[in-house]
Amino acid sequence: MLTKTDFIQYLNCLESLWLLKNQPDDYPNGEFSLFLQKLIEEGYEVEEQAQKLFPHGIELPEFGTPKDTQKILQNGGLCFFQAAFETNIGVFARVDILEHLPNNTWHLYEVKSSTSVKTDKKHNHLKDACFQKYVLEQNGLSVSNVSIIHLNKEYVRNGEIDLEQLLNIEDVTEKIRGLYSEVSIEIEQAAHYINQKSIDTSQCSCRLNTRSNHCDSFSFFNTEIPEFSIYEIGNIRANKIQDLNNEGVLSIGEIPNNFKLNAKQELQIESFRHRKPIIEKARIAKILSSLEFPLHFIDYETYASAVPKIDGVRPHQHIPFQVSIHTIQSDGSIEHFEFLAHELEIPTQMVQFMSDSTGTIGTFISWHKSFEMGRNKDMIEWLPQYQEYLEFMNSNMFDLEDIFKSEYVDYRFHGSTSIKKVLPVLLPELSYDDLGVQNGTMALDLWGRMVLDKNFKEDKAQVRAALLEYCKLDTWAMVMLFKKLKETTKKRKIQHGIQSRK
Ligand code: SF4
């Protein structure tokens, strides 16, 4: 059976869909599964709101079959939710909202949790809608209108949800008409492709593409790719990957001396060749000594939902619910401040706590500062009484990640400057591995369920302790990396012996 989700996957990558359908045991779950689960839940949330626009809608049974749908359609009715259909070549659709029009044609509605109709490579909502129309028409239903219902990014909740404001209904009938025959052919090709008994699994199309395009099946299809491969070179372009592949080069260590790369990429290769980091000690020392004490290492955890749950919030807007701050004074003493909200709210208490803890003095240090700064801007809108404090923080924010973009390059970071890649190399004793909460998505999900789900069964005290421990490690890790950098720059021994490849 080919579902709409399968078809979207097929459009992105046919090989990974074949693997999923034919060798599911070899198909990796992927580290984004919790993230994808959140996306699916968001979809349901928006669908629940969209259904309210059709008060006469008839809900079909959850997981109902095409047979169930046929029975219910025969009983009459004007609007149906989750009607299921299947074609004779096994193409299956469950339609979000289907409305029967007086001229015996149908209006198909696709509901999306995004804030626009997307047509990029990874999400093509028009092709999704085409898929649904194809299945309906193959079942003899004439689809005269197609609309996509999505969120309005300007909507700000104020009291009860205002459906007219929250949702935009975009008529895409004409656009679908233009795409229909092309997509019908693609659907039939996809159905044929997944039914093939075998495909060439010795390599896949991403062999010639950059890492950001790879999925978790890359290593299944490309078993001979070594550790520290060309795909790990920071920001390498696809044309360079193709050139190297043409020369049979897969390992960083095999890259010819005359192969053109940018200065940062050259450093990564030098680091690999000499099996040691390349550290611009003088520059790092200068940057770090320019930071004004006290130094406040800060990290937020945030909650976001497709449909805003509290007043003042827009769809998908992040609401900070937790902060950890480690403050180092000029005498070297360190203090820790932490706050974890008990309920979903505009973070007035949290900002008051932060302001009491740090005051408007010193430097704030985060990792990937655009995230913290963006949240501060949101909080200024919600809480203008804290504008001065939050603006001070943003004007005095230093991004520790920047050091690892050019001043400290180590091949063992695998071409990434994420703290999750840097920390295990420089401070292996500080690990996230044993923590109950391992990343921001998990923190958002766990805290969200704890404060919003009435049926939350886990021990709340334990969950709070796990969340506090996770956020604390985020800022403690920055403190220790900062100290490590200081120590490194103090060492008199200057790194000699690293010669240019050219
Ligand atoms: S790595 Fe790319 S081509 Fe290979 S299976 Fe994944 S998405 Fe498809």
Side-chain angles (χ1 to χ4, degrees):
M1 192 157 72
L2 181 84
T3 66
K4 186 182 69 181
T5 313
D6 296 334
F7 181 59
I8 296 165
Q9 187 169 349
Y10 171 84
L11 293 175
N12 285 319
C13 170
L14 48 172
E15 290 111 316
S16 78
L17 177 64
W18 185 90
L19 187 64
L20 172 68
K21 290 287 188 184
N22 292 279
Q23 288 178 215
D25 291 346
D26 290 321
Y27 187 82
N29 283 331
E31 59 185 294
F32 297 114
S33 55
L34 182 58
F35 176 71
L36 289 177
Q37 186 58 35
K38 286 278 321 153
L39 283 185
I40 292 166
E41 281 163 20
E42 281 180 353
Y44 292 147
E45 234 176 76
V46 180
E47 218 170 286
E48 204 180 309
Q49 297 299 328
Q51 289 179 354
K52 292 180 189 163
L53 293 170
F54 303 86
H56 305 302
I58 298 167
E59 175 95 51
L60 276 93
E62 199 180 359
F63 312 119
T65 63
K67 269 193 183 157
D68 298 330
T69 297
Q70 289 310 326
K71 271 190 216 153
I72 290 172
L73 289 187
Q74 276 160 17
N75 293 339
L78 288 179
C79 185
F80 304 89
F81 304 144
Q82 300 299 314
F85 299 89
E86 190 176 356
T87 73
N88 55 9
I89 58 163
V91 183
F92 177 89
R94 199 179 288 287
V95 180
D96 293 334
I97 298 166
L98 188 59
E99 193 177 29
H100 202 179
L101 302 177
N103 62 358
N104 202 25
T105 63
W106 297 82
H107 189 158
L108 182 162
Y109 295 87
E110 262 287 281
V111 181
K112 299 291 177 196
S113 61
S114 59
T115 53
S116 62
V117 174
K118 294 191 175 175
T119 52
D120 55 76
K121 188 173 173 275
K122 295 223 156 150
H123 320 82
N124 192 323
H125 294 164
L126 295 177
K127 288 198 171 186
D128 293 1
C130 260
F131 181 93
Q132 307 292 71
K133 176 175 156 110
Y134 169 89
V135 179
L136 290 174
E137 301 225 319
Q138 291 291 310
N139 276 271
L141 279 71
S142 166
V143 178
S144 56
N145 297 62
V146 183
S147 298
I148 292 177
I149 302 180
H150 61 82
L151 292 164
N152 166 16
K153 70 169 187 277
E154 307 300 336
Y155 172 71
V156 178
R157 182 164 182 165
N158 182 12
E160 284 303 305
I161 291 281
D162 180 339
L163 287 178
E164 303 289 328
Q165 291 298 318
L166 173 72
L167 300 169
N168 281 342
I169 305 179
E170 220 169 300
D171 183 342
V172 293
T173 311
E174 283 311 310
K175 290 179 182 160
I176 296 294
R177 202 163 283 146
L179 276 176
Y180 188 70
S181 46
E182 173 196 328
V183 175
S184 303
I185 294 169
E186 285 176 326
I187 293 168
E188 283 156 24
Q189 285 170 339
H192 172 74
Y193 188 84
I194 58 170
N195 285 319
Q196 291 182 103
K197 288 216 162 51
S198 63
I199 61 167
D200 177 8
T201 53
S202 64
Q203 56 176 269
C204 63
S205 338
C206 276
R207 181 70 173 259
L208 300 179
N209 221 334
T210 56
R211 182 165 59 173
S212 61
N213 293 282
H214 296 182
C215 75
D216 297 315
S217 304
F218 185 74
S219 48
F220 171 84
F221 283 107
N222 302 281
T223 45
E224 79 280 36
I225 305 294
E227 201 192 4
F228 306 114
S229 72
I230 55 170
Y231 303 95
E232 292 183 0
I233 297 172
N235 296 320
I236 189 165
R237 290 179 182 273
N239 63 335
K240 297 282 177 190
I241 294 277
Q242 285 155 23
D243 292 347
L244 288 168
N245 260 279
N246 290 342
E247 291 179 39
V249 173
L250 293 174
S251 161
I252 289 184
E254 294 165 355
I255 296 178
N257 284 347
N258 59 356
F259 191 79
K260 268 215 158 316
L261 290 167
N262 69 31
K264 279 187 197 169
Q265 294 165 341
E266 291 280 355
L267 288 178
Q268 191 182 340
I269 292 161
E270 288 300 332
S271 166
F272 179 81
R273 290 247 163 98
H274 296 275
R275 297 292 198 278
K276 57 164 113 171
I278 299 196
I279 312 168
E280 291 290 348
K281 292 187 181 182
R283 280 222 289 273
I284 297 174
K286 193 171 169 206
I287 295 168
L288 296 188
S289 64
S290 71
L291 303 176
E292 205 170 299
F293 280 89
L295 305 177
H296 311 289
F297 295 82
I298 185 164
D299 183 66
Y300 294 142
E301 298 305 327
T302 61
Y303 178 84
S305 58
V307 178
K309 295 214 175 352
I310 56 171
D311 286 356
V313 177
R314 290 190 294 274
H316 297 293
Q317 191 171 18
H318 284 258
I319 307 165
F321 63 83
Q322 180 172 12
V323 66
S324 169
I325 305 172
H326 275 96
T327 296
I328 307 185
Q329 300 292 345
S330 50
D331 64 3
S333 61
I334 302 179
E335 243 184 307
H336 183 232
F337 306 99
E338 60 187 359
F339 179 95
L340 176 57
H342 286 274
E343 59 186 312
L344 184 60
E345 60 189 359
I346 296 294
T348 320
Q349 289 184 62
M350 192 182 102
V351 181
Q352 182 63 54
F353 171 83
M354 286 158 51
S355 166
D356 292 344
S357 306
T358 68
T360 47
I361 181 167
T363 308
F364 290 81
I365 302 180
S366 58
W367 196 281
H368 203 70
K369 69 179 181 181
S370 59
F371 183 75
E372 269 68 29
M373 290 175 74
R375 304 301 62 81
N376 286 346
K377 283 182 190 156
D378 285 349
M379 291 195 284
I380 290 170
E381 268 183 40
W382 290 325
L383 304 165
Q385 67 272 35
Y386 293 103
Q387 179 169 1
E388 195 185 325
Y389 173 67
L390 294 165
E391 277 180 352
F392 175 85
M393 197 192 292
N394 275 2
S395 344
N396 293 280
M397 184 77 81
F398 173 74
D399 195 339
L400 196 56
E401 185 183 15
D402 284 348
I403 299 266
F404 295 92
K405 286 188 178 156
S406 48
E407 324 302 343
Y408 194 123
V409 177
D410 190 321
Y411 72 99
R412 293 170 298 171
F413 300 156
H414 297 278
S416 165
T417 53
S418 149
I419 196 164
K420 301 267 165 37
K421 295 285 182 198
V422 171
L423 197 61
V425 174
L426 296 190
L427 296 164
E429 65 278 17
L430 286 184
S431 167
Y432 287 82
D433 290 351
D434 299 328
L435 296 189
V437 176
Q438 302 259 316
N439 55 50
T441 308
M442 218 167 151
L444 179 160
D445 174 65
L446 195 55
W447 183 82
R449 286 191 290 113
M450 179 171 73
V451 300
L452 296 168
D453 182 356
K454 290 189 184 77
N455 300 316
F456 187 74
K457 296 274 187 305
E458 292 173 53
D459 181 326
K460 289 191 178 179
Q462 271 182 22
V463 169
R464 284 185 67 83
L467 286 162
L468 289 168
E469 199 182 0
Y470 168 70
C471 199
K472 184 179 181 183
L473 180 57
D474 271 343
T475 50
W476 183 242
M478 283 194 278
V479 169
M480 297 308 284
L481 284 170
F482 174 83
K483 288 184 159 205
K484 180 103 187 166
L485 288 171
K486 281 282 226 192
E487 275 167 28
T488 308
T489 55
K490 262 189 212 151
K491 284 182 193 151
R492 296 195 126 227
K493 198 169 151 244
I494 297 170
Q495 283 205 300
H496 289 305
I498 296 179
Q499 288 136 21
S500 165
R501 292 193 303 119
K502 291 186 176 160

